Amino acid sequence: LQFTEEKLGQAEKTELDAHFENLLARADCTKNWTEKILRQTEVLLQPNPSARVEEFLYEKLDRKVPSRVTNGELLAQYMTEAANDFGPGTPYGKTLIKVGETQRRLGAAEREFIRSASINFLTPLRNFLEGDWRTISKERRILQNRRLDLDACKARVKKAKAAEAKAAVTA
């Protein structure tokens, strides 16, 4: 009732401290940017949307995500197979082996980067959103309910005093 009356402009609303309002605004801003950064980093690390959905499902089911071959590693595999077909002694075969080995190392480095970024960067962001932010939201709802209760009590006291004053005037 108090909430509805406040929205309709029929009841007074106790304003929170300006510093506290500023903190709430900063918390909202932090949450929004954290979500955006998390999503975009996931897109950067795994551009394939269906693979991201698959990884998300594995994560929610608390199962280990199967290891994927990176594009660099796949290219290295193709180059090595082609070198073996052309012959490792031919100039083209030697070049393919050399470039294939470099691609394999690049692919392994990419895999390590993705693993490291996931552990050291994405995990803390997820922990904030799933832990700290939920706590902040819960406490914010509790504060809002307490404020509404306080304002409802103030309104009742005000009405009681008005009724008392009216009774004193008529008596």
Side-chain angles (χ1 to χ4, degrees), residues 13 17 29 35 38 49 65 82 85-86 89 93 103 137 157 169-170:
K13 177 180 176 181
D17 180 48
C29 185
E35 286 176 333
L38 177 71
V65 179
D85 276 354
F86 287 115
Q103 281 297 331
S137 297
V157 167
V169 170
T170 58

Side-chain angles (χ1 to χ4, degrees), residues 69-80 99-100 103-104:
V69 176
T70 65
N71 290 331
E73 291 171 320
L74 189 58
L75 178 59
Q77 181 183 346
Y78 291 162
M79 287 181 166
T80 304
V99 174
Q103 281 297 331
R104 187 194 58 74

Side-chain angles (χ1 to χ4, degrees), residues 12 152-170:
E12 291 181 33
C153 290
K154 282 182 179 179
R156 274 188 257 137
V157 167
K158 191 175 182 180
K159 285 180 185 176
K161 284 184 180 178
E164 242 178 54
K166 186 178 180 182
V169 170
T170 58

Side-chain angles (χ1 to χ4, degrees), residues 3-4 10 49 59 74 120:
F3 180 78
T4 305
Q10 298 172 348
E59 183 181 311
L74 189 58
N120 298 319

